[in-house]
Each structure stands twice: as structure tokens, then as C-alpha cells.
Amino acid sequence: MTSYRGSESNGRLSVVYSFPHAIGAPGIGWTAWNQVTELVAAGHEVHLVSASVARPIPGLASDRRVLQRGRVRIPHRAVGRDRAFAFHDRIGAELVRRVRPDVVHTWPLAAERTLRAAAEVGAPGLREAPNTHTAHAYQVVAEECARLGVELPADASHAANAAHLAREEREWAAAAAVLAPSDAVARSFVARGHDPERILRHRYGARSDGAPAAPRRSDDPPVVLFLGRVEPRKGLHHALRAWAGSRLRDSGRFVVHGDPIPTYAAVLAPLLDQPGVEMRGFTRDPGAALAAADVLVLPTVEEGSALVTYEAQLAGCVPLVSTAAGAYLDDGVHGLLHEPGDVDALRAQFDLLADHPEEFARMSAAAAAHAPELSWEAAGRSLVAAYRAAIARRGGAVHAVAE
């Protein structure tokens, strides 16, 4: 395939997508895999450069794997993370100059050269923001840890790292726009002085197995589920404090799936030792955990747009989440929101579940009916709309793609 400057005659975009990790791996690798998969499924020409591929994507226009030889995936630490990211960035920039795409989509820490190359060829270079502004994230997490007396490991993802922050600031400066998957992310960038016009909203999604959400038995005790990393940032301590004073404690179950970091485990120990609380550890089947629960609690203090909040709704599991979780829902319709750290509000929501389970049955049905808007297909349309907005703002014409 070749691309050339022309009019938007067929609606098809040429995209260079740069992801400096294993695409298809858990976490952000899964997010990136779904984005690229939906772009390809929608008929766009996608040139992918990734560190390696954990899950293949058929139909790519080109597929460059920077840290993979045959089936062997080379870990970043084998060459040094910073060196690996820098090498990836150079490869991405070379690809942009060769392909001359309509739009360039990059991810953190390996994007600066690639974004500058996008500007050289007249394509909008976009930088994904999977979390809030990094300085904001560092500050919020540090303050929460200080309140708890918890020290994060030096290699924790949200432990302050001045060099990484400086690199990200250069990337944001080089980008035509930042891709924000939630209002919480967008607000954090604006609060740090970014031009709102350079923040493009899109969203993430979830994949359904096609089975309808299982109805909850009215005679079963209500089940509250926490599912995720057990670290101060996710706010499990707030949920357990709310549980301690709620009427639900005497009639329900609070199931925790995840492994705590050691310094946080000591803080949680007395909170976990109360009626109804079950510490289960990490699960390889989050879908089953969601299907068995009535509500998902995620009182996070900092987040991008937690995929588990999408997955919960598909399972008919009602999200009780903080406004920082980046959930795609209407408060009181598909779930209930509270401000980060508002234990009283979360306790009142637990009491509501204890006293009025019919309200949660209504929200469960609404959440499950919300499924088409929560899909990765819908997220793909949102992402393409952001691409087109960036192209229009740059005053560029979309390439016509010739077979």
C-alpha cells in the first residue's frame, strides 16, 4: 500500500501507532491492543511499532517489533529501560518519515522524536495519557502515602521520578494534542497549565463474552468487590473504613482480590480484620469475580480511566467509584460516584445497598444495558473522532489510501 496527499474521499486514515511495550500484554498493553484492533477492523491503515507482540493483530499495514526476534521477546531490562525507549523512539520517528501518515499515536516515555517527526511531515502527533498529568499523579499519591505513613518502593509506577517527568513534559510539548480517556485526566492537564484546546477526549472500553449478565439472587448476602492493585493509590483503606461503620457490614461480604505492597499491608491489617471481609489475593479470572459480586468498589485517589469499571458494568456489577476513577457512567443511573477520600459518602452508599437492594438491581440492569457504549468498538469510534479533530485543527487533508 502507498499513501499520498489527497481529499478525504474514502474516510480511511493512515496511522502510525507507537507503543513501547508488549502489545496485548495485561494492563496498558491490553488497552493498546484493543485500540489498534478496532482501528484495523474499521478499515484504517495502521503501521504498528511496538516493543514486542504478546497477542497478534491481523491486518496491519506494517508491524515493526523493536525488542523481539522471531518468537523471542527481549525484556527492556536486558538493554536498559531508558536505552530501549530511546531506540524505540528513533524507530518510530523513522517510520513516520517513511510512511507520512495522516496521524501519529504515541505512548509515554518513547515519543519525543516520533512526535517531532510527525510535525516535520505535517501530521498531528498525539500523545496518549493513560493516567492523569504525571506531576499531579506524583503529588496526589505522595500525599496519600504520607497520610498513611506508607513508603512506596523506588520502582513503583507512581513513585516520583524527576527524569521521567521531564521526558514526559518534552513529549507533551512536542505533541499536537494529548489524548485524555476521562474528564479526570483532562482536568489534571488543564490544572497544570495545558491549553484545553490541546486536550482531546476519547475513552476506553471492554469486551463482552456475549453472555447476559447473571441475575443476582435476592436471598444471597450482598457482595462488595475490590479488584485491582492493593496500593494506597487505589484507596482500599477508604472503602474498608466505610465498611466498618456501615449497616452492610452485618449482612454482606467484602471480597478483596489483589496482593498488597508490604508497607501498605501493615496499614490494612486491622481494617481487614473485621466481619465480612475476605482477602482472596490475585485472581486470574476477574470476570468470574465481577459476575459473583453486586457492586465493584474503587475509591481510587488517582487514575486514568480504570478498565475494571467498564468490565463491571458489562457484568451487571454496579460501580461504587470515586470521581478520580475515570468511569464512563452516569451517577445514579449506572453506578454511584463519590469524591476521593469521602468515606462518609461511600458508607452511605453501602447503607443504601443494605437497605434498598432494589435500587442496585435497577442500576445493575441499566449498567448491563449500557453495554454497546462501553465496547471497544465504541471506544474505537471515539478515538477516530479525536484523530479527525486533530487533523482538522491542523488544517490538513487526510491521505487517500491506494491499494
Side-chain angles (χ1 to χ4, degrees), residues 9 81 108 121-123 141 151 222 230 262 283 286 307 365 397:
S9 58
R81 288 182 63 84
V121 303
V141 172
E151 185 173 346
V230 183
T283 177
L307 298 190

Side-chain angles (χ1 to χ4, degrees), residues 285-372:
D285 193 355
L290 289 166
D294 293 277
V295 302
L296 169 79
V297 62
L298 184 62
T300 186
V301 299
E302 188 281 328
E303 194 88 47
S305 185
L307 298 190
V308 71
T309 64
Y310 294 80
E311 294 159 355
Q313 291 180 76
L314 290 186
C317 183
V318 178
L320 304 186
V321 299
S322 78
T323 55
Y328 188 69
L329 59 79
D330 292 327
D331 187 24
V333 178
H334 311 107
L336 294 174
L337 300 176
H338 63 274
E339 291 301 314
D342 191 341
V343 172
D344 290 340
L346 188 50
R347 182 181 299 117
Q349 292 171 3
F350 285 160
D351 287 344
L352 183 64
L353 176 55
D355 299 340
H356 297 285
E358 71 280 1
E359 283 295 297
F360 283 80
R362 173 185 60 78
M363 287 187 282
S364 173
H370 194 210

Side-chain angles (χ1 to χ4, degrees), residues 31 67 69 90 130 139 165 260 300 309 323 330 353 367 377 389 394 396 400:
T31 299
L67 293 179
R69 298 296 179 266
R90 287 196 295 273
Q139 178 181 340
L165 176 57
T300 186
T309 64
T323 55
D330 292 327
L353 176 55
E377 182 181 2
R394 204 168 185 87

Side-chain angles (χ1 to χ4, degrees), residues 26 39 46 80 87 116-117 127 134 156 176-177 207 255 306 308 321 340 354 399:
L39 288 171
V46 183
F87 182 54
R116 296 193 186 284
R127 166 54 160 72
T134 306
R207 291 199 178 272
V255 178
V308 71
V321 299
H399 300 187

Side-chain angles (χ1 to χ4, degrees), residues 144 148 231-232 235-242 264 267-268 271:
E144 193 71 17
L148 294 169
E231 59 185 4
L236 176 58
H237 51 288
H238 295 308
L240 291 169
R241 287 168 181 164
Y264 188 42
V267 172
L268 291 179
L271 294 170

Side-chain angles (χ1 to χ4, degrees), residues 216-263:
R216 270 65 177 175
R217 287 176 44 178
S218 59
D219 57 341
D220 286 342
V223 178
V224 172
L225 173 68
F226 176 91
L227 180 64
R229 293 179 179 176
V230 183
E231 59 185 4
R233 170 176 168 255
K234 295 289 187 176
L236 176 58
H237 51 288
H238 295 308
L240 291 169
R241 287 168 181 164
W243 179 263
S246 75
R247 290 189 290 277
L248 191 60
R249 182 174 110 150
D250 297 325
S251 60
R253 297 165 56 212
F254 191 136
V255 178
V256 179
H257 276 292
D259 295 322
I261 63 173
T263 51

